[in-house]
Amino acid sequence: MTAPAPAPDVAVRTTKLRKVFGELVAVDHLDLEILRGEVFGVLGPNGSGKTTTIRMLCGLMRPTSGDATVVGCDIRTESERLRTRIGYMSQRFGLYGDLTVRENCSFYASLYGLAPDERKTRIDELLGDLELSARSNDRASTLSGGLKQRVALACAIAHRPPLLFLDEPTAGVDPAARRQFWKIIYDLAAKGTTIVVTTHYMDEAAKLKRLAFLSRGHLIAVGTPEMVTAQFGLPTIEDVFVELQRRDEAAA
Amino acid sequence: MNALMRFFSAIRTSLLWPMVRKEFIQLRRDPGTLGMILGIPAMQLLLFGFAVRTEVRHLATVVLDESRTPESRLLIETIVQTQNFDLVGHVTDRAAIEHAINGGEVRAALIIPPDFSRQLKRGEPGSAQIIVDAANPLASSAAISGAALVATILPSRLGVGPSATGPPLDLRVRPWYNPSGESTTFVIPGLVAVMLMMTFVVIMAGAIVREREVGTLEQLVVTPISKWALLLGKVVPFVIIAYLQMTNVLLLGWLVFGVPVRGSILLLYALAGVFILAVLGIGLMISTFAKSQAAAQQLAIGLIMPSILLSGFLFPREAMPAVAQWIGNLLPITYFLEIVRGILLKGTGMNELWRPTLLLLAFAVVTLAIAVRRFAKTVE
Ligand SMILES: Nc1ncnc2c1ncn2[C@@H]1O[C@H](COP(=O)(O)OP(=O)(O)OP(=O)(O)O)[C@@H](O)[C@H]1O
Ligand SMILES: [Mg+2]
């Protein structure tokens, strides 16, 4: 069964998406719709399946069952076409520490098919926008956590993808750098990029347009922060999170 | 066919070159690895070279003196004086020699036939024989150089001049097990092969797993780079580095130890390319199988051991049991040893070498194909 062709305003649609690792069901029966242009949050305790979901949506893991269409590409059969249309920042820093900031950007920009002259302009633009110019000749390994994340972002958006997956981009980043990072994210969104982001910071989550709560691989709630808190009858997103974690522990 | 087309499209589309460039930058910033690739072989070479020179002395030797004349005793004395041979005892028949050498306590035997001094007195070359345990090629080279020394010293001591039929002393060295045993230079061409094998299987085996472990692979495979370009991008820089290493070893071998180049050096470089691809293919294949860097290293070392022991690098394959020979047949280094020794020491040409070359080519194609086939752009 193939997923129905998504409406033009849908960036991601999953149908009964499921991923099993041996005995462990990491993602189960996930039905999700992410709209074009929105900043969509994926929340949930450790091990709830956020990274696994994103990896499947990027074509990095094959679903055990179920389907998903991401920016018009079937993740099972069109994973290569998909790759040209998305940007992805992995949870773990994935750039080359022994390459400089500019070398990393240049490497990824060329892998994403930017021609040499276009590449140089684009990298200069990115380094300027993300305030990395001063550090462009430093090796990535020597940067602070916040700067590393900005370089990783620069590499992920070098080809101006319409859809961007960010897996905990602000983990281990100081508050000022977090604020700056989110400003960049909202700037990108304002220019039309769809953004799917995971985070454990509830202050960040509360500002998102829409979010989904995962728990033990299941989708528990989805909607605006207000809808989600109302669904649980709790005052804040953080309360919802703690409640979910409590349920997890009770079930374990 | 399909694979071949993808191979060429990987080269044509620029995605291979960013990968190659990146690998080179990383190599340049990692002087440790580069030093290891180029330094260790040089060290090994010098070690082996010195081993050759020190081994030249003091081979435990037994004597079978069937002549028992002043002349034969003088021969024995002279041979001991070269210090290449240590006299450890006398034997009375050939069976005892065989026994002593096979037992391992004796490396060489001097056999002086009954008519040795009569030959000399008749003005014929006095013929004697040195048998050497050629399982160790260093030993046979020691025996050869020792014998040559004796052949120049002894005649004047005996007071005989050149005979009508040639030099006054016909001292033959007969290596056991290793009929083609060459001189001191025998080991070094083999060392070229062993060094390439050791360094590059290990390095390539780590290539993919390391990126997987460090976490850079996830970011890399989420790009549109084709897996051909990704894997070839890992291979190409090391082809170049491997040639550098080989040149290094050859130059040292030539300058310091006088390894000859009897055949075409161009042919050697061409055929070495095939061997290098086979070696890198094996490493890359390991890298796609192994779950961790540690496991990859284990697998690589597991392959290197038989490559040193069973390929004919140190021990002649003819003397090995059938199983060992059979395993040796499965190792690409066995064929490259044939090539590198053939070209350098015997001046062999493509006419004799097409078979090992084709086999190496098959190794390269199969291992690289398996690596590409097994590799998936996922992080399962
Ligand atoms: N490759 C894998 N093999 C086996 N199990 C895995 C694998 N990847 C993830 N898991 C398991 O699947 C479950 C979901 O993991 P996942 O990384 O998706 O969670 P997460 O929500 O991203 O957690 P975190 O907040 O810690 O990043 C966990 O129990 C994890 O141990
Ligand atoms: Mg995660």
Side-chain angles (χ1 to χ4, degrees):
Chain A
M1 194 196 84
T2 54
D9 57 339
V10 174
V12 176
R13 171 175 287 141
T14 72
T15 359
K16 297 189 183 127
L17 199 61
R18 180 179 160 94
K19 181 70 184 180
V20 178
F21 296 111
E23 298 279 282
L24 181 98
V25 184
V27 175
D28 200 10
H29 213 288
L30 184 70
D31 289 317
L32 202 60
E33 237 181 47
I34 298 170
L35 304 180
R36 251 168 230 265
E38 70 180 342
V39 181
F40 189 89
V42 181
L43 309 188
N46 293 129
S48 54
K50 304 181 294 293
T51 298
T52 305
T53 302
I54 290 184
R55 281 175 169 168
M56 284 192 284
L57 297 181
C58 291
L60 289 172
M61 275 183 174
R62 283 187 70 81
T64 309
S65 61
D67 290 288
T69 312
V70 178
V71 280
C73 307
D74 184 321
I75 58 165
R76 288 173 180 279
T77 57
E78 296 171 298
S79 66
E80 282 311 312
R81 192 159 70 95
L82 170 66
R83 279 171 161 82
T84 62
R85 300 188 179 192
I86 57 166
Y88 168 61
M89 239 180 95
S90 57
Q91 181 169 354
R92 191 168 159 204
F93 181 69
L95 300 186
Y96 297 96
D98 47 357
L99 262 53
T100 66
V101 170
R102 182 176 284 277
E103 284 163 350
N104 269 298
C105 293
S106 174
F107 175 60
Y108 279 101
S110 42
L111 291 190
Y112 280 114
L114 272 70
D117 41 345
E118 184 193 1
R119 198 187 312 156
K120 180 159 185 337
T121 334
R122 175 65 176 150
I123 291 170
D124 286 337
E125 176 190 21
L126 277 171
L127 295 180
D129 286 357
L130 302 190
E131 293 171 40
L132 289 165
S133 305
R135 306 295 301 270
S136 65
N137 291 322
D138 292 353
R139 299 206 188 162
S141 60
T142 65
L143 302 181
S144 67
L147 281 175
K148 274 186 183 148
Q149 294 305 77
R150 254 144 66 195
V151 182
L153 180 66
C155 292
I157 60 175
H159 55 308
R160 298 192 176 86
L163 172 61
L164 183 59
F165 290 100
L166 306 172
D167 197 355
E168 293 195 34
T170 53
V173 170
D174 72 48
R178 269 172 58 199
R179 186 175 295 180
Q180 189 180 8
F181 199 92
W182 275 98
K183 185 180 169 316
I184 299 165
I185 292 178
Y186 280 111
D187 283 350
L188 281 169
K191 287 182 207 147
T193 310
T194 309
I195 292 165
V196 179
V197 58
T198 73
T199 180
H200 284 299
Y201 294 108
M202 292 307 124
D203 58 324
E204 294 175 356
K207 288 182 210 141
L208 294 168
K209 198 151 155 209
R210 281 204 318 144
L211 47 82
F213 256 109
L214 293 184
S215 170
R216 302 162 71 80
H218 291 270
L219 182 66
I220 302 292
V222 62
T224 62
E226 296 73 34
M227 283 160 67
V228 172
T229 45
Q231 179 183 334
F232 282 83
L234 290 166
T236 67
I237 291 289
E238 185 156 349
D239 292 316
V240 175
F241 192 94
V242 172
E243 167 64 15
L244 278 176
Q245 206 154 24
R246 196 190 57 72
R247 286 191 202 171
D248 265 16
E249 274 158 23
Chain B
M1 208 48 225
N2 199 5
L4 207 66
M5 271 171 59
R6 264 182 272 166
F7 175 86
F8 284 114
S9 92
I11 292 176
R12 206 184 49 244
T13 66
S14 53
L15 294 194
L16 173 62
W17 301 114
M19 194 67 198
V20 171
R21 224 178 82 85
K22 172 221 134 200
E23 293 288 325
F24 266 123
I25 296 176
Q26 288 187 301
L27 259 174
R28 204 179 62 214
R29 306 241 162 104
D30 180 12
T33 300
L34 215 53
M36 184 195 95
I37 296 175
L38 299 176
I40 288 186
M43 236 169 60
Q44 294 275 2
L45 185 82
L46 294 176
L47 270 175
F48 265 94
F50 283 123
V52 171
R53 297 203 161 165
T54 49
E55 275 285 293
V56 161
R57 313 186 102 68
H58 308 298
L59 293 176
T61 307
V62 291
V63 172
L64 171 59
D65 183 359
E66 294 172 324
S67 170
R68 296 175 185 278
T69 53
E71 286 80 11
S72 71
R73 278 190 289 278
L74 193 58
L75 171 60
I76 296 167
E77 196 182 297
T78 315
I79 270 194
V80 172
Q81 278 169 357
T82 63
Q83 295 192 14
N84 286 16
F85 306 91
D86 276 0
L87 187 58
V88 295
H90 285 266
V91 292
T92 48
D93 55 28
R94 284 171 187 253
I97 293 176
E98 195 166 334
H99 186 75
I101 290 185
N102 287 344
E105 69 267 36
V106 160
R107 305 286 282 282
L110 171 64
I111 301 174
I112 311 173
D115 56 350
F116 177 71
S117 71
R118 259 170 286 155
Q119 286 175 328
L120 286 173
K121 281 172 186 151
R122 282 201 300 266
E124 292 166 10
S127 64
Q129 194 178 49
I130 293 173
I131 288 177
V132 60
D133 173 9
N136 180 348
L138 308 178
S140 51
S141 51
I144 289 166
S145 58
L149 196 59
V150 170
T152 48
I153 300 172
L154 193 62
S156 65
R157 288 187 145 195
L158 286 167
V160 295
S163 65
T165 51
L169 189 66
D170 179 16
L171 192 53
R172 295 258 165 98
V173 175
R174 219 189 93 209
W176 267 13
Y177 303 136
N178 189 4
S180 69
E182 294 262 345
S183 59
T184 40
T185 54
F186 186 76
V187 183
I188 288 166
L191 211 55
V192 172
V194 167
M195 284 296 128
L196 286 173
M197 175 88 197
M198 277 176 64
T199 335
F200 292 97
V201 169
V202 171
I203 285 185
M204 249 7 248
I208 304 286
V209 217
R210 189 180 59 243
E211 286 218 29
R212 208 179 273 284
E213 263 180 28
V214 177
T216 49
L217 192 70
E218 181 165 7
Q219 210 64 72
L220 182 57
V221 296
V222 85
T223 71
I225 189 174
S226 77
K227 59 180 182 173
W228 277 98
L230 197 160
L231 295 177
L232 277 180
K234 290 265 170 198
V235 166
V236 169
F238 287 105
V239 172
I240 295 164
I241 306 288
Y243 269 123
L244 277 182
Q245 187 199 66
M246 174 175 142
T247 307
N248 196 21
V249 175
L250 281 176
L251 266 180
L252 269 178
W254 179 62
L255 290 173
V256 182
F257 300 106
V259 175
V261 184
R262 303 216 165 92
S264 155
I265 193 86
L266 272 175
L267 180 65
L268 178 61
Y269 271 73
L271 301 191
V274 185
F275 176 61
I276 289 169
L277 281 179
V279 165
L280 295 176
I282 290 172
L284 204 61
M285 201 174 75
I286 291 177
S287 208
T288 58
F289 274 90
K291 292 267 179 287
S292 67
Q293 283 195 77
Q297 303 302 326
Q298 287 298 320
L299 276 169
I301 289 164
L303 246 158
I304 287 168
M305 289 314 282
S307 292
I308 290 177
L309 297 174
L310 306 180
S311 61
F313 167 58
L314 287 175
F315 314 110
R317 298 184 65 222
E318 296 74 29
M320 291 179 192
V323 186
Q325 292 198 21
W326 191 80
I327 297 173
N329 283 337
L330 297 177
L331 300 167
I333 188 174
T334 304
Y335 303 106
F336 188 57
L337 278 174
E338 204 176 307
I339 291 173
V340 70
R341 282 178 179 156
I343 294 178
L344 290 179
L345 303 178
K346 297 188 218 143
T348 315
M350 201 59 206
N351 277 346
E352 289 89 355
L353 295 178
W354 62 267
R355 187 177 156 274
T357 304
L358 279 185
L359 284 165
L360 282 183
L361 193 64
F363 267 107
V365 169
V366 168
T367 51
L368 288 169
I370 290 177
V372 172
R373 206 168 171 85
R374 274 198 53 89
F375 181 74
K377 285 176 65 188
T378 59
V379 290
E380 299 282 345

